[in-house]
Amino acid sequence: MSVRPAWEVRENEGTTRWFEFRLVFGDGARIDALAVVGGGCVCVEEVRAQPALSLDDLAVLADWVEDSVAEACEPGAGPDARGGQGRRARPAWPRGQEGSQLVAREYRAAQREGADPVLAVMGATGHSRRASLRLIGQARDAGLLSPRRARR
């Protein structure tokens, strides 16, 4: 795994930075990505993977890129300063059925209070919007939440 700053553009008081990402796996699979950081957001501009990625794999890649960019953008985070210390602390969240039950509980509580259920799950899990939506989908698949759309 490697993260390298590619280039940086400074304009007025803002800065836009591009990062190159490379993941190489033991079985020969490889992922190369280019992400841009600017205006308070992270956008993945390009992804090349051998073999091709599934949609679930892309969601996991997006979370990894987000965490890696946050780590790389820390002040004083040179190549030698990178490590686990730059990552955001996430609360421990159980996997499997127990995790799905907790997601469903947070989702329904937010609905009762008139709040955004996805934001409630994001706050409870500490995960990004994509990861939280994936967890909500898993809870729906497990029958813990009603289907998103009524089928006709």
Side-chain angles (χ1 to χ4, degrees), residues 56-67:
D56 288 337
D57 293 338
L58 279 173
V60 172
L61 176 67
D63 289 339
W64 180 83
V65 166
E66 181 182 8
D67 290 344

Side-chain angles (χ1 to χ4, degrees), residues 68-90:
S68 299
V69 166
E71 183 178 324
C73 287
E74 278 187 4
D80 298 329
R82 286 194 194 115
Q85 76 272 16
R87 295 191 178 263
R88 292 174 301 186
R90 286 190 178 147

Side-chain angles (χ1 to χ4, degrees), residues 45-113:
E45 289 194 345
E46 183 178 340
V47 175
R48 294 178 188 212
Q50 272 305 6
L53 297 174
S54 69
L55 290 177
D56 288 337
D57 293 338
L58 279 173
V60 172
L61 176 67
D63 289 339
W64 180 83
V65 166
E66 181 182 8
D67 290 344
S68 299
V69 166
E71 183 178 324
C73 287
E74 278 187 4
D80 298 329
R82 286 194 194 115
Q85 76 272 16
R87 295 191 178 263
R88 292 174 301 186
R90 286 190 178 147
W93 195 260
R95 296 185 181 271
Q97 185 67 19
E98 184 182 355
S100 292
Q101 289 172 345
L102 291 172
V103 165
R105 188 176 311 140
E106 290 290 332
Y107 188 93
R108 286 191 301 269
Q111 280 183 322
R112 280 192 301 273
E113 296 170 5

